[in-house]
Amino acid sequence: MRKITIKEVAKEAGVSISTVSNALNNVDVLNPKTKAHILEVAERLHYVPNLNGRNLKSKTTKVLGLFVNSMKGPYYGTLVDTMYLECEKNGYELQVFISKNSMDMMTNILGKRVDGAVILNGWIGEEQETALRKEKIPTIFLDREICSQKISSLVFDSYTQGADAGRYLLTLGHKTFGYIRGAENNYDSSERFKGYSHVLEEAGHPLLTENIFDGFFDRDATYQATMKLLEKERKLPRAVFAANDQSAIGFMEALRECNISVPEEISIIGCDNIDISQWFTPRLTTIDTFYEKQGRMAVIQLLKLIRGEKIGTIQKVVGKIIERDSCQHA
Amino acid sequence: MRKITIKEVAKEAGVSISTVSNALNNVDVLNPKTKAHILEVAERLHYVPNLNGRNLKSKTTKVLGLFVNSMKGPYYGTLVDTMYLECEKNGYELQVFISKNSMDMMTNILGKRVDGAVILNGWIGEEQETALRKEKIPTIFLDREICSQKISSLVFDSYTQGADAGRYLLTLGHKTFGYIRGAENNYDSSERFKGYSHVLEEAGHPLLTENIFDGFFDRDATYQATMKLLEKERKLPRAVFAANDQSAIGFMEALRECNISVPEEISIIGCDNIDISQWFTPRLTTIDTFYEKQGRMAVIQLLKLIRGEKIGTIQKVVGKIIERDSCQHA
DNA sequence: TTGATAAATAAAAACGTTTTTATTTTGGAG
DNA sequence: CTCCAAAATAAAAACGTTTTTATTTATCAA
């Protein structure tokens, strides 16, 4: 049994291939009867169009691509699922491209495998940015602020989140502060740091370098680092802001292990409001970044760029503090 | 500035397009000097091959596809990341196709967008299965047992997992048992159920219908369902097996809310050994399903099918009980 | 030098579609 | 009937590659 192409369908139905194509893409130029007949034949032969041929000629794929270098962590699943929902609503497919090297990513984008791209944490540099700009590929960046005709940014307002966290802890009367930072060179982590430290500085309680800890956005890494820290018997700050909830939780786990009680001895506020933060004991005070919303907005904005309804902009999603049980007055 | 195709590169380099193609795909039939020159020109013009054209003609994509209907939950991230690693090692790309309808999925597979497919939870039926078999598309199923020339299954030995859980709880001397099942019609959930209930039955302590609870593999759903259940003041079984860790944790959270202590009043064993199970209090006794291993094995097996080195088989990954703090003697 | 062979390059065909252009068929008005 | 326009269909071109086949150029033994 040979491979069924549009040619076989045409032959079997006794029409030309262009007529089959028209029937398939419901162009309403056909006699309804012929169309029905062709569709019946296609169905019977189990014809499935070759997407490479189709996409090559039509220069469109109806696919949006999400480009990431990993899927680990509670964040991605939600992001993908909300993006999918919005794509489906608009007749687009969603495909996720995993890649730790920016070349594969660029090949897929510039090689026309998608109509538009959402880039989360490709380690892409100046060169790739300009390539995307020049080729006018509709693109949304989730991890940096850049914008051009076909490129939009949709980032968390991380600076303000940091500032809010700082102000909140100050309101509670704390005087010594710590920060658990995320991955190096990460936009969100460094913005949160800037906002946080700026507010503390202004209030006359600057963040000391020795109180900046590494968490890498990771629960386990933070746990390990904190345990190591605690071996040294050094004095900890009274209030801590973690760059994300996972770090906050890893931190609290280490503290619990060492019988340091939260929030009595240390207040801690996280960021992201991931599912688990409301289940942990003590329930984690955190900043809701509305990251489910981000996925939806990214798709909506990307479709506008594709359709040419809008040119690129930089949008910032503001967060909101969720008060729970991990912070208390000094 | 027009779009750069292989034709532009050929003209600029003063050679034919077939020569450019040869240079690009490092076929070693070219004069090294010409090849270097062509590569230099391609680089300078920022040439990127159109993947649709390439894949159309060459009939291969060097892409493996993972087909799922959702990405939520701690399981997927790990699966994807381990699959990616194995793909990369073998010169393949990994792309994840999200889709809640089986048609999109089939279009992508039969439409030749991937060289092989790993199917996790497409709701695919008889018809799709035979289509895949007939077309001889290399495929790995992670959610059912089927096999043919180009189709392999790689499932958890869920029956044995269930039986092991049952035996373990029996060993601890328990007499009344419960089961928190997963999504309806789910292979793993029903296999675990079969193994579990069979062992209990044989031991003379059959699982009562009233002690089968709905968890849908979901922490929150299980929590809600359990809270509802506890309103009724009915007697709970002394030992419970949950179809996955998330359910186990949702269950324990509800119990804690109602001041029922684990493991003193109820012993509970989960399944999967997700990250969080070792962090939860009490630390969850569970069955390690080695699902990171599954991702790697799936890719390895799929590549063998693609290369024609092997024909389809059904493989079962056996699990192992991890004893922690959520179970104790009756 | 010549001729044969190998090496290097070019030309043409093919992949499976959609799109553009051309042709045939149909349906009325006169 | 005949003719013309509209409707329906078919033919041909195009999309950007790789692969197959053909041609040119270089190499070297006689």
Side-chain angles (χ1 to χ4, degrees), chain B residues 4-287:
Chain B
I4 302 296
T5 73
I6 198 172
K7 216 166 150 186
E8 272 57 53
V9 178
K11 191 186 292 173
E12 176 76 14
V15 297
S16 73
I17 61 172
S18 44
T19 305
V20 175
S21 179
N22 282 331
L24 257 31
N25 302 329
N26 37 14
V27 179
D28 55 352
V29 61
L30 252 54
N31 182 329
K33 232 172 125 181
T34 1
K35 178 167 169 178
H37 174 227
I38 292 171
L39 258 31
E40 183 270 319
V41 170
E43 176 75 26
R44 179 154 51 78
L45 299 185
H46 295 113
Y47 168 72
V48 176
N50 179 306
L51 294 175
N52 300 125
R54 165 175 289 184
N55 297 164
L56 173 60
K57 177 62 195 177
S58 70
K59 291 170 178 298
T60 177
T61 61
K62 286 287 182 176
V63 172
L64 301 188
L66 171 64
F67 294 81
V68 298
N69 61 27
S70 163
M71 277 270 115
K72 230 169 199 159
Y75 173 76
Y76 297 101
T78 312
L79 182 76
V80 169
D81 275 20
T82 55
M83 283 182 68
Y84 169 75
L85 245 52
E86 196 61 32
C87 282
E88 196 196 22
K89 209 183 291 177
N90 291 87
Y92 275 75
E93 262 184 71
L94 176 65
Q95 290 171 17
V96 184
F97 296 73
I98 324 290
S99 157
K100 298 217 189 284
N101 77 62
S102 60
M103 213 195 74
D104 278 356
M105 192 186 88
M106 293 304 285
T107 310
N108 280 308
I109 299 181
L110 299 173
K112 297 291 159 62
R113 220 191 288 259
V114 297
D115 286 354
V118 176
I119 298 180
L120 181 38
N121 53 2
W123 296 318
I124 84 166
E126 194 89 25
E127 197 184 346
Q128 284 90 8
E129 274 187 26
T130 53
L132 289 173
R133 179 163 28 229
K134 270 195 183 157
E135 297 293 331
K136 299 212 194 331
I137 308 276
T139 309
I140 307 280
F141 278 90
L142 260 32
D143 62 352
R144 69 192 67 188
E145 293 182 42
I146 102 174
C147 115
S148 68
Q149 199 195 338
K150 291 289 181 188
I151 299 184
S152 270
S153 279
L154 187 63
V155 297
F156 298 129
D157 188 353
S158 298
Y159 182 92
T160 306
Q161 290 164 2
D164 284 350
R167 274 190 286 265
Y168 177 72
L169 295 175
L170 282 166
T171 311
L172 294 178
H174 294 294
K175 297 283 192 301
T176 55
F177 299 89
Y179 179 60
I180 304 175
R181 67 181 162 201
E184 207 165 359
N185 292 328
N186 178 274
Y187 171 86
D188 292 307
S189 174
S190 63
E191 286 293 303
R192 278 165 199 164
F193 171 76
K194 283 185 206 158
Y196 183 59
S197 58
H198 181 244
V199 160
L200 298 181
E201 183 112 22
E202 277 206 322
H205 299 294
L207 182 61
L208 304 175
T209 320
E210 67 199 68
N211 286 336
I212 300 172
F213 312 126
D214 279 318
F216 303 104
F217 284 142
D218 185 73
R219 174 194 198 129
D220 202 41
T222 307
Y223 173 85
Q224 304 292 352
T226 310
M227 288 304 278
K228 205 171 222 168
L229 195 76
L230 290 171
E231 278 173 10
K232 297 196 203 135
E233 290 267 9
R234 74 196 270 318
K235 220 175 142 199
L236 288 177
R238 188 65 183 73
V240 172
F241 170 44
N244 75 350
D245 286 352
Q246 293 180 273
S247 277
I249 287 170
F251 186 63
M252 290 197 293
E253 257 146 2
L255 294 183
R256 182 200 292 164
E257 197 98 344
C258 300
N259 292 309
I260 302 174
S261 58
V262 176
E264 290 77 7
E265 296 176 65
I266 294 189
S267 282
I268 175 143
I269 177 170
C271 195
D272 276 355
N273 192 24
I274 60 175
D275 252 24
I276 187 183
S277 64
Q278 64 178 305
W279 297 106
F280 195 81
T281 312
R283 291 159 59 240
L284 180 67
T285 291
T286 186
I287 300 175

